[in-house]
Structures are given as structure tokens and as C-alpha cells.
Amino acid sequence: MKKRVVLAYSGGLDTSVAVAYLTHEFDFEVIAVAVDVGQSEDFEAIRQRALDSGAVEASVVDCKETYAEDYLSKALKANALYEGRYPLVSSLSRPAIVKVLVEEAAKLNATGIAHGCTGKGNDQVRFEVSIRALAPDLEILAPTRNWNMTREESIDYAKSKGVRVPVTKEKLYSIDENIWGRAIECGILEDPWNRPPEDVWSMTRVSQDDPTEVIITFKSGIPVALNDKEMSFLEIISNLNSLVGSYGYGRIDMVENRRVGIKSRETYEAPGALALIQAHKDLEAVTLERDLAHEKIRIEPRIAELIYDGLWFSPLMEAYSQFVDSSQKYVSGEVRLQLSPYSCIVNGRKSPYSLYDYNLATYDASDSFNHSDAEGFVKIWGLGISTWAQRQKGV
Ligand code: ARG
């Protein structure tokens, strides 16, 4: 009996060639699984393309809801931004996709999982580490990494096996997309000085629209309504993607450090994600006690690194998640965002659990702060400094 392998199938050139390669060179039965994490694709066409490429079975698994509920919600609660800027669009989808593949492999008695990542990127790391975490016994196959073909050669290989390839030799960019945003790389973008041409963007557009406001309601760190209309987290992300994207906000152009040691120029657009993270951070500013807020800000970059580095399923991530979840208990309330061309700013926030105390903060007559308490506090706070100044400074 032939061995069966589940392939993470995207419908693109590499995974289409991978179907043929695993079938012809390794004698596997390939089961193609396309996971819908919100990329704008014709999934029926993708499924058909997998079968045309030689897959014995092909299916599409819609995991958008789970992706939002189990993955994006954690990223949002942690304000996860890699190197302070990138909301981890591709990094978050890989563990979600792997979870589906592992379940499919168990259902279909497959002995291995294959992916179409190259050897230079981060995605291979995320796929393989996640597979090893969830199903250590499964074999991992990375045909694209091993076959040593240039793009042109793989197109020719595909043709020789009768596989219709979805791209021409002049393909412009490598694009990865899901509901948290879009990553666009390669082509003219490989020179970091080149301005991204307007055609790289599709979620954001040039805008001259009049400013507008949108109110996001959060409950324990998760958005639950837009302008008072209750919606699922997934619906909120998708509504914000269109609204915020229509103002041209959410574009990122950066050179980032890949896990494999390469600096790479990346462009992203993530209008909904960036608007939500901004609003969430702002609500935390009024609801988190000072030390908790500061501690959380210290670990957020570490959480982003773990996600980026493929360690979503890891004991450290699990421990950090519990810290983050516990911090979110009172992160409930409303944040108002003002949108105008290329801009999205917070211009108001409120919460039933707000620690902002008007009577303490005000400089008017209702001030309840005891000013005389401050004198002794400040003296003791600076005691070490005054001792140092008297004894050593200038000696
Ligand atoms: N550099 C980003 C990351 O590592 C995006 C990767 C995009 N992947 C792709 N196949 N275009 O998360």
C-alpha cells in the first residue's frame, strides 16, 4: 500500500508542483488540504487544481472562526507586534493551519505532512516546529526545500507532468494573506530603497474620504461590538479591514530579521489588526494597574518573538498566555477611533473599570488629592539621590 501524505495546499506554483513531485518522485498518495484562513481565493478552483495536479483527494477546511477565536484573540490581547511593527499575519496562521493538517492526517491515516515552504523563510520553521509539537510521530516532507529547482525549472517540471501552473514566469510578488492582513514580498521590493508600487496594495487604498469615527466595544480584552452593534470577533476584524483599509491606513514597509538569519524587506497591510491593537492598548492604559501594565509591556515583545519564531505551541507561550489572560479581566469598555486619510487615532476611551479617577486627576476645585502627603513621599523617594549628591557627587 502506498504511503499517504497530507499536503498544505495553497493553489500556488510551489504546492502544485509539490503534488506532482511527491506523487512521481516519492510514490506517495497526496491528499491536498487547503485551509481557509480568510485569504481571498476561489477555493473550489483551488480544490480542482489540486486534483488536476494529481492529488488523490483534495479538501478545503474553513478555519476562519477558530483562527480568530483561538489565535488572533491571543495575539490581540498581547498586542503582538514583531520588532514593534509587524502584527504577525503569516506567523499566526501557520500554527492554525498545522492544527487542521494534523487532524486531517489522523482522520485519513496519513503518515506524514508536507508543506511548500522554501529553505530561506520563517514559514518552514513554524510548520515543522508546530507539527513536532502536536504530532511528533508524523513524517515531515519539505519538497520545495529539497528539490533544488529554480522558479523556471519548477514551471518546466510542472509542464512535463501535465500540471497546469497558475503563474507565468514573470510573476511579480510572493503574497500571503489571511484575515489578519497581507504580506507582500519579492520582485522589485527586494531592493529596500524601491518605493512599493501602488499595485502591491489591495486591502488599503488611496483615500480622500471625509474623516469618520468608529467605536469599538471590548469585553475582557476582546472586541465584541462596533458602533454598538454586536458582532463576532471575525466579523469585527473583517468590517474594520474594509473601513480602516478604505482610509489607506495599515501599510507597513520594513526590513525585518528572519529567524533563519536573513534580513528581508517586507511590506504588509493590516488595517483591522493595527486599528484593533491600537484601541486595545489604549483601553489597557485606563484599566490596568501600573505595575501590571508595565510588566505586560515588557513581555509583549517576547510573545511576539515566540509567535514569529514558530513557538506557538510551547510551554513558554502557554505560560505567557495565562499571564495575559489574567491581565485582561477588566479590559472592558469602549474606545473611539478617528479615521482620516492614512490615519487612525484614538480620540476617546471609557470603561466601567477605569482606574482613571477624575477627582484625583483634576486641577479644579473638586480635587481630592492630598497635596501635603506628596512632600514626605518625594523626600523619601529621592533619599538615595540626596545622600549620593552630598557624599560622592563631584568628589
Ligand atoms: N515575513 C513574514 C513572516 O515571516 C511574512 C512571510 C510571508 N510568507 C510568504 N510566503 N510570502 O511572517
Side-chain angles (χ1 to χ4, degrees), residues 306-319:
L306 292 179
I307 298 171
Y308 190 86
D309 290 348
L311 298 170
W312 179 268
F313 300 111
S314 70
L316 183 55
M317 184 65 193
E318 177 62 41

Side-chain angles (χ1 to χ4, degrees), residues 8 10 35 37 39 63 67 71-72 86 88-102 115-118 121-131 134 174-178 181 183 185 307-313:
S10 70
V35 182
V37 280
Q39 57 278 51
C63 109
Y67 181 46
Y71 297 81
L72 302 182
Y86 164 48
L88 297 157
V89 171
S90 307
S91 333
L92 284 158
S93 73
R94 297 318 189 256
I97 292 171
V98 166
K99 183 114 191 294
V100 171
L101 299 176
V102 165
H115 63 72
C117 308
T118 67
N122 295 309
D123 290 327
Q124 56 174 345
V125 179
R126 299 165 185 149
F127 266 108
E128 297 183 23
V129 177
S130 300
I131 294 167
L134 296 180
S174 161
I175 296 170
D176 185 50
E177 185 184 17
N178 62 67
E185 50 188 353
I307 298 171
Y308 190 86
D309 290 348
L311 298 170
W312 179 268
F313 300 111

